[in-house]
Amino acid sequence: MQARQTPTFEIAPAYSKTDADMASKLASAFFGEPMPWQKYVLDNLLARDKDDKFINRSAALSVPRQNGKSWIVRALCFYCLIAEGAKILYTCQHGDTSDEMFKALSEPFEDEDNEELHAILQSVRRANGQQAVYLNNGGYIKFSTRTNSLARGRSFDKIIYDEAQDLTAAQQAASLPTLAANKKKNAQVIYMGTPPNAESLGTVFKNMHAEAHNEVTPAFAWFEWSADEIGDITDRARWYETNPSLGRLIDESAIQLELSMAQDDFARERLGWWSPVHTMADYLINQDEWMACATDEAPQGKADAFAVKFSPDGTLASIAVAVVDGGITHVELVHQQQTVRGIREVAELVVRNAEETPFVIDGRAGAQALIDRVDNHVPNGSVELVTTSDVIAADAAFLNGIREQTISWFKPKELTDENLKDDALSSSVLKATRRSIGSSGGWGFGGEEPTAIEACALAAWAAKKSIENDVGEMEVYF
């Protein structure tokens, strides 16, 4: 069986000339020969119009993991740096991905045996968060993980959004304006990623996919290898249809091992399947149910528990409090913040309150770091990590509590049905979906922004556990 070398779905304009032959030849000397599918995408990305401008000023590639999209990034950046003196921003979600790309693109220039390349090298910057390669022709490439203030005040000719499935609108807004001052009037932005899962905070790539698949031609090129349904995940023909590098970079035995994943996870990760965009029917909690739990008279007693929930990538932390008042458990979202500049504020809040009230913490990407940060400043046993089974129990109990109206939340008078979406907790609750967790059929809250509802669910769960403990007096005003 041969792997499919053209996209299963694409939208791209026709072209008559491209720089891809030159770029491919140059890249082959350092990064290996391309597979036909890689050259196919590069042909489109470097296609030129009659004015010698890029035809595809904005383009996106969606392909399952480990198929080798990084070769395309390297070839594209390598050529544009050398041939055009381009100013490039390469950005991704994870530091190890950025480090790997920096190493791959800097080594050919630093190798003194590559005399021609070494001669045009001006300098290499290695400081974490500031990695860059500068050439004598004025070209440079900077490597960065994404933040909400990424690249402000700088100017680039080209932006590469790798791991685009995690790109948020705020991160995009912080970087796209850097193309506005492009003097060559030939700016280009490239998105490369895989279908997002339920835990992904990114919305940009998902929205682009939806736009590409509607009936209106989008303002960008789109290239995709994917299955249109979960279907039979053991069907090897479907593996070859959606993985262009199967038989070269990926072998069947490796995919065979991946069959232990849940079917929807396998379809997403290996078949490039995009789960349907959420509709109102997918959401667990409707507005009437949530508003029925609202109160404008929050309890005045002591807090029974706090909870901290980190997003899957650790970039967002939500903190909630709960107090049990008779048969009602009252919850409030205390604090929510991006953590790209650290977790100092979160740690200070924990230390300030843990003397009186227990905390539970969840989130693989930030929980342990927070525990380590506060461990020597809080009473023993006052701060603990929760388990997967705890999360499953907490989320199920919270959903039942909303439906049975044994959960309450404080609604300010100025908050109405019309602006409810502007309230962080309400927005999280009303967009909550069900996601599979654990290995025994358990579920937790997913959706576009689930950290707030998960923090409240955990706080409510922990409060019920601690109501018999003496946790001290604390009024619930935030």
Side-chain angles (χ1 to χ4, degrees):
M1 240 181 293
Q2 295 295 318
R4 179 181 179 126
Q5 295 300 295
T6 55
T8 58
F9 177 85
E10 70 175 295
I11 296 178
Y15 62 88
S16 58
K17 63 176 180 177
T18 177
D19 291 355
D21 289 340
M22 292 183 290
S24 181
K25 183 176 180 180
L26 182 62
S28 294
F30 300 96
F31 312 125
E33 294 285 339
M35 285 171 274
W37 80 270
Q38 294 169 321
K39 176 62 164 48
Y40 182 91
V41 175
L42 190 63
D43 281 339
N44 282 273
L45 297 183
L46 291 176
R48 303 274 188 166
D49 62 18
K50 59 183 178 58
D51 297 318
D52 207 35
K53 305 297 185 184
F54 292 123
I55 291 177
N56 295 307
R57 305 293 291 276
S58 180
L61 167 66
S62 174
V63 66
R65 298 179 189 278
Q66 300 172 327
N67 271 280
K69 61 180 169 51
S70 62
W71 186 95
I72 301 170
V73 177
R74 294 171 187 177
L76 180 73
C77 293
F78 205 55
Y79 174 75
C80 291
L81 280 171
I82 296 169
E84 300 187 337
K87 298 173 175 60
I88 305 171
L89 172 64
Y90 170 85
T91 167
C92 58
Q93 202 71 12
H94 301 101
D96 54 352
T97 305
S98 181
D99 291 343
E100 183 178 341
M101 190 61 68
F102 168 70
K103 184 174 184 291
L105 285 169
S106 62
E107 282 184 345
F109 294 103
E110 292 187 288
D111 187 350
E112 295 182 5
D113 290 336
N114 300 325
E115 294 182 3
E116 292 185 10
L117 291 184
H118 190 67
I120 64 172
L121 175 65
Q122 182 183 97
S123 63
V124 174
R125 186 165 188 171
R126 300 184 180 280
N128 285 340
Q130 302 179 38
Q131 294 170 320
V133 178
Y134 297 88
L135 303 186
N136 292 327
N137 65 1
Y140 59 78
I141 180 169
K142 295 188 176 183
F143 303 82
S144 178
T145 52
R146 287 190 281 268
T147 70
N148 288 354
S149 59
L150 175 68
R152 291 190 186 275
R154 300 173 182 170
S155 178
F156 296 97
D157 304 318
K158 192 183 303 288
I159 297 178
I160 311 291
Y161 291 117
D162 205 352
E163 299 173 329
Q165 68 273 10
D166 293 315
L167 175 67
T168 67
Q171 293 165 348
Q172 183 191 48
S175 49
L176 269 186
T178 63
L179 298 174
N182 171 255
K183 295 180 180 179
K184 300 174 183 177
K185 307 301 180 184
N186 196 28
Q188 189 177 43
V189 55
I190 309 295
Y191 304 80
M192 293 192 175
T194 59
N197 59 29
E199 296 183 347
S200 175
L201 296 176
T203 57
V204 173
F205 205 47
K206 179 168 57 178
N207 291 340
M208 291 179 72
H209 173 266
E211 186 176 348
H213 283 263
N214 69 22
E215 295 181 359
V216 179
T217 302
F220 51 84
W222 181 270
F223 306 93
E224 176 183 326
W225 275 260
S226 69
D228 57 8
E229 62 178 356
I230 294 176
D232 181 4
I233 65 172
T234 66
D235 184 351
R236 284 172 168 73
R238 301 179 77 219
W239 302 355
Y240 282 90
E241 182 76 0
T242 55
N243 289 271
S245 298
L246 184 53
R248 297 280 295 274
L249 296 182
I250 307 170
D251 60 56
E252 286 192 10
S253 62
I255 295 181
Q256 189 73 34
L257 295 174
E258 295 175 352
L259 289 172
S260 60
M261 293 191 289
Q263 288 196 12
D264 60 334
D265 288 334
F266 181 93
R268 183 182 301 108
E269 301 294 334
R270 182 50 56 209
L271 303 181
W273 171 72
W274 286 74
S275 55
V277 175
H278 292 310
T279 65
M280 292 304 295
D282 297 316
Y283 298 135
L284 292 173
I285 302 160
N286 64 48
Q287 187 165 313
D288 289 342
E289 289 175 321
W290 181 235
M291 292 299 285
C293 296
T295 180
D296 57 4
E297 297 181 359
Q300 303 297 305
K302 59 185 181 181
D304 290 307
F306 285 89
V308 182
K309 172 65 181 182
F310 287 93
S311 60
D313 62 0
T315 61
L316 181 69
S318 292
I319 304 175
V321 66
V323 56
V324 178
D325 184 27
I328 304 295
T329 303
H330 181 78
V331 296
E332 293 182 21
L333 183 63
V334 177
H335 184 65
Q336 191 173 58
Q337 71 167 71
Q338 297 287 334
T339 61
V340 291
R341 296 185 180 275
I343 57 173
R344 180 178 58 82
E345 289 183 54
V346 178
E348 289 176 351
L349 191 150
V350 173
V351 172
R352 189 165 61 246
N353 293 290
E355 183 74 31
E356 300 288 338
T357 310
F359 272 78
V360 294
I361 303 174
D362 184 43
R364 286 179 297 175
Q368 189 59 55
L370 179 57
I371 290 282
D372 295 341
R373 181 80 168 264
V374 305
D375 189 49
N376 294 327
H377 306 284
V378 299
N380 289 336
S382 63
V383 178
E384 64 175 320
L385 290 172
V386 296
T387 65
T388 299
S389 60
D390 293 335
V391 173
I392 292 170
D395 288 2
F398 194 72
L399 179 59
N400 288 335
I402 290 174
R403 290 175 174 170
E404 296 171 3
Q405 296 182 28
T406 58
I407 293 290
S408 72
W409 61 282
F410 180 72
K411 185 184 81 67
K413 291 181 179 178
E414 61 270 17
L415 193 62
T416 66
D417 290 351
E418 288 70 30
N419 62 11
L420 198 61
K421 67 180 186 304
D422 298 327
D423 176 63
L425 175 56
S426 296
S427 179
S428 179
V429 169
L430 297 177
K431 292 179 180 178
T433 60
R434 191 188 305 260
R435 64 182 176 91
S436 298
I437 59 176
S439 57
S440 303
W443 65 271
F445 290 121
E448 295 178 27
E449 42 197 45
T451 61
I453 186 174
E454 289 199 302
C456 286
L458 286 168
W461 170 82
K464 289 187 175 181
K465 287 181 58 180
S466 66
I467 55 175
E468 295 182 358
N469 297 333
D470 180 13
V471 294
E473 295 293 326
M474 183 181 298
E475 291 189 349
V476 187
Y477 286 114
F478 302 100

